[in-house]
Structures are given as C-alpha cells and as structure tokens.
C-alpha cells in the first residue's frame, strides 16, 4: 500500500492538491454562472487575451501572472466597452478582440527566442510548481469570489432571467454583468498556473455541467460543482503522478470525464424513471366477461 500513499509524501504534490482545490472552488462558483449565462466563449477569450501581457512580462523580467492579469483586465474592459457603445453583438465583439489579442501575443512571442518554456507553462499550466505565495493568492481569490457571488446573488439571478425585472427591482443588471465579467477574469487569471489559459475553460465548464443534473438551485450547484472540481484535481494529479502525463491536461481531462459520466448516469436514471412510473400506473386489463357486456338472460 506504500505506493498508494507515495504521492502524498511529496510537498510539491500536497501544494498542488491544495492549490487545485482552491482553483476548483473558484471555478465551481463562477463556472456555474458561466454555464447558466452561456458565457463559455468569454472565458476562452479572456484566457487567450492573457497572452500579450504574459509575453511582455516575461520579456521584461516581471512576474508572468501580473502581466497576464493586466492583459485579461484590459480584455474584459474592451469587451464591456464594445458591447456598451458599439453596434456589434456581444459574441462578435468577443470574437474580434479574441483574435486581436491572440495575434498580438503571437507577434510578441515571435520576437523572443527564449519564450518556449514560459509559453508552454502559460498555455497548459504548471500546477506542480506552486509555491506558498501562489497558495495565498489563490486563497484570497477564493474568498473574493465567494463574497462577491454571495453579495450579488440576487442581481445575478435577476439579470440572468429578465433584465427588465432587474431594472424594476433596482438591481442594476449592467453592474451585475460587469461584476460577472470581472469574476470570470479572476477565475481565468487565478487558474492560470494550475491548468493554463487553454485548459481553464475545462475547469470552468465541466464541474458545473457535472453538477447540473443533480441540483435545483444555484448555491447547491456551486457547492457540488466545487466538489466535482476537487475530485477532478485529485484524479488528474494522481494520473499525472503514476502515468507521467501533463498535470494540467490530466486535470482538465478528468473534469470533462466526470461531466460525461455524471450526465450519462443522470440520463439513465431519467429514462428508467418514466418506464417504472408507466408500469406502476398502467391499468390492469379487464377480464373479457367484464369488458364486454354479456347476453341478457
């Protein structure tokens, strides 16, 4: 049994497990709203929008996560500005900025010959290299996420279903939308080291999708999504340890696998339930003598 406990004796593995759990909480809370509001493309765009900032920070010798955070914030602000003032639709604005920021990042990377390693870590994550400072940053991000999501819960719900009602109730749906975009940005930036900008959407979407069939309220779905995310982190890290696979990709793959299994099991239960109800409620056929009137004697 020693080989089962071997990973947990390594400090870097425990730090990765704890950091991944914090990322799972952040992505579970925010990812629930991403799924409810259909904002998956926004998360993907912000993840790619980090590339120019990470590239510039790496070339300048500054922390990559700081450059990525600044770039992601600029991306979010531009999306909000285009949606508010421009004539393009929301997804069109995101698509245009997505391509622009990605192109700018590739141009910057192409001028640096020593960027390959940093680009790989940025795109696919390096959760096994987490430090105590990274854990503290994730803890702060998790607390901010939970506090903001709880404080603006009514606004998020109202804005998700009917913005006119939200305005009538004085809940300011535009502010709620900006706050939600800010939370998505926070999730992408804070998950940067764990799974990278390319795979972060997997942790945002898959745990929330896995939790959806089993819950009927937003807070419960957030809690279950966080639990699914933690399970995916644990399974992914163990797979990485024993199979020698990339940790970030293994976590994302585990999350998507759990989502597929969860929905498959829920589908089987849903198909069997109507069949059982039909069998229970089907009337017993009447005897021939009772179903057809006999001859008068």
């Amino acid at each position: 049994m020693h080989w089962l406990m071997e990973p947990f004796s390594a400090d870097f593995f425990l730090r990765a497990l704890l950091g991944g759990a914090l990322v799972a909480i952040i992505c579970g809370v925010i990812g629930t709203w991403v799924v409810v509001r259909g904002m998956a493309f926004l998360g993907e765009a912000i993840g790619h929008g980090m590339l120019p900032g990470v590239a510039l920070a790496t070339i300048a010798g500054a922390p990559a996560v700081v450059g990525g955070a600044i770039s992601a914030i600029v991306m979010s602000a531009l999306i909000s500005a285009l949606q508010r003032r421009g004539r393009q639709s929301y997804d069109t604005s995101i698509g245009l900025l997505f391509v622009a920021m990605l192109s700018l990042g590739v141009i910057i990377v192409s001028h640096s010959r020593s960027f390959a390693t940093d680009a790989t870590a940025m795109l696919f994550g390096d959760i096994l290299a987490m430090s105590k400072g990274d854990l503290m940053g994730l803890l702060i991000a998790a607390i901010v996420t939970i506090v903001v999501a709880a404080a603006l819960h009514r606004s998020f719900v109202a804005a998700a279903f009917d913005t006119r009602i939200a305005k009538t109730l004085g809940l300011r749906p535009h502010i709620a939308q900006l706050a939600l975009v800010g939370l998505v940005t926070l999730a992408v930036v804070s998950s940067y080291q764990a799974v990278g900008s390319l795979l972060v959407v997997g942790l945002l979407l898959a745990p929330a999708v896995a939790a959806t069939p089993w819950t009927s309220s937003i807070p419960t779905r957030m809690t279950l999504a966080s639990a699914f995310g933690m399970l995916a982190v644990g399974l992914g890290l163990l797979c990485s340890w024993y199979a020698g696979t990339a940790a970030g990709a293994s976590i994302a793959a585990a999350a998507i696998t759990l989502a597929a299994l969860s929905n498959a099991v829920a589908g089987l239960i849903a198909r069997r339930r109507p069949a059982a109800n039909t069998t229970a409620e089907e009337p017993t056929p009447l005897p021939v003598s009772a179903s057809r009137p006999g001859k008068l004697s």
Side-chain angles (χ1 to χ4, degrees):
M1 297 293 291
H2 173 71
W3 64 277
L4 285 175
M5 301 303 298
E6 183 181 0
F8 301 96
S9 63
D11 291 339
F12 71 89
F13 187 90
L14 293 177
R15 285 195 299 270
L17 198 61
L18 179 57
L22 292 171
V23 169
I25 293 173
I26 296 168
C27 290
V29 172
I30 302 174
T32 297
W33 284 115
V34 169
V35 171
V36 170
R37 297 290 301 272
M39 299 173 65
F41 190 32
L42 173 65
E44 183 73 18
I46 292 176
H48 287 77
M50 291 175 62
L51 184 57
V54 171
L56 289 173
T58 303
I59 294 174
V65 68
V66 174
I70 294 173
S71 185
I73 291 171
V74 171
M75 176 79 168
S76 301
L78 289 174
I79 290 173
S80 299
L82 282 179
Q83 182 191 16
R84 187 170 58 253
R85 300 177 184 177
R87 297 181 179 178
Q88 303 298 330
S89 63
Y90 188 58
D91 57 343
T92 301
S93 301
I94 293 176
L96 291 173
L97 287 172
F98 167 72
V99 175
M101 296 292 277
L102 184 60
S103 301
L104 178 60
V106 172
I107 291 172
I108 296 172
V109 169
S110 66
H111 283 278
S112 176
R113 297 180 179 178
S114 60
F115 195 78
T117 302
D118 298 301
T120 301
M122 192 278 291
L123 294 173
F124 304 107
D126 192 9
I127 192 172
L128 297 177
M130 277 196 173
S131 63
K132 293 182 179 179
D134 296 326
L135 294 178
M136 184 57 65
L138 283 172
L139 178 60
I140 295 172
I143 293 173
V144 170
T145 297
I146 294 172
V147 170
V148 173
L152 297 178
H153 178 72
R154 290 185 65 227
S155 298
F156 288 163
V157 172
F161 293 101
D162 196 324
T163 55
R164 291 173 299 178
I165 294 178
K167 289 180 180 178
T168 302
L169 296 175
L171 296 176
R172 299 181 179 179
H174 292 298
I175 294 179
Q177 176 67 18
L178 289 175
L180 191 54
V181 171
L183 286 179
V184 173
T185 304
L186 177 63
V188 172
V189 172
S190 60
S191 304
Y192 153 77
Q193 184 160 352
V195 291
S197 61
L198 283 181
L199 303 176
V200 66
V201 179
L203 271 187
L204 273 175
L205 299 182
V209 169
T212 298
W214 313 103
T215 57
S216 57
S217 67
I218 296 294
T220 306
R221 189 179 303 183
M222 289 177 176
T223 303
L224 188 56
S226 299
F228 271 117
M230 291 180 189
L231 180 58
V233 168
L235 293 175
L237 286 175
L238 289 174
C239 178
S240 174
W241 179 278
Y242 291 112
T245 57
S250 299
I251 292 172
I256 294 171
T257 301
L258 288 174
L261 289 175
S262 174
N263 281 269
V265 172
L268 287 175
I269 294 175
R271 283 194 294 270
R272 288 182 179 180
R273 188 174 297 163
N277 292 339
T278 301
T279 303
E281 296 173 2
E282 185 176 357
T284 304
L286 294 173
V288 175
S289 59
S291 60
R292 287 189 301 183
K295 294 181 180 179
L296 293 175
S297 54

